[in-house]
Amino acid sequence: MILFLALCFVGVAIAGASAFVIFWPLTLVHIRDRHAGGAADFGPGAFLAPAALGWLLSGRYQAVGDRSLSGLATPARVALITIFVGLGMAALLWLVSELGL
C-alpha cells in the first residue's frame, strides 16, 4: 500500500510537471516581451536556469507589479512546488517501505 501511495505522488509530480511546462514558458515570453530591461531578464536558455527558478520559487515576480506576469508566474510557481513536494513524498514513502516501518 505504501508503494502505491508513492506511485500516486509520482503521478502528482507528473501533473505538476505538465502544468510547469505550460505556464513557465509563457511567463518567460511575457518577461522577454514586456520587461526586457528589468532585473527579471534571464537571457536565452532560462527554462531550467537556477537563477530563473530561484526567482520563480522566491516569488520575486510579485515585486514587478504586473498583474499579467503574476497571473502566469503564480501557476508556474505552484506547479514547481508541486513537483518538488510530489517527488519528495514519493521518495519518503519509498524509504519508509525499504526500512519496513
Side-chain angles (χ1 to χ4, degrees):
M1 183 66 174
I2 291 176
L3 288 178
F4 173 73
L5 291 175
L7 186 60
C8 288
F9 277 113
V10 170
V12 168
I14 291 170
S18 298
F20 183 75
V21 167
I22 292 169
F23 284 102
W24 184 230
L26 293 173
T27 304
L28 290 173
V29 168
H30 182 83
I31 291 168
R32 183 192 68 201
D33 291 347
R34 305 242 173 114
H35 304 283
D41 189 13
F42 304 114
F47 187 77
L48 292 177
L53 294 176
W55 176 83
L56 178 66
L57 280 175
S58 66
R60 290 189 301 236
Y61 59 87
Q62 296 170 350
V64 176
D66 184 356
R67 292 180 62 203
S68 298
L69 178 61
S70 291
L72 290 170
T74 300
R77 180 182 186 197
V78 170
L80 190 58
I81 291 170
T82 301
I83 293 169
F84 291 146
V85 169
L87 291 178
M89 289 300 295
L92 180 67
L93 287 173
W94 172 78
L95 185 62
V96 166
S97 73
E98 288 291 318
L99 296 176
L101 296 176

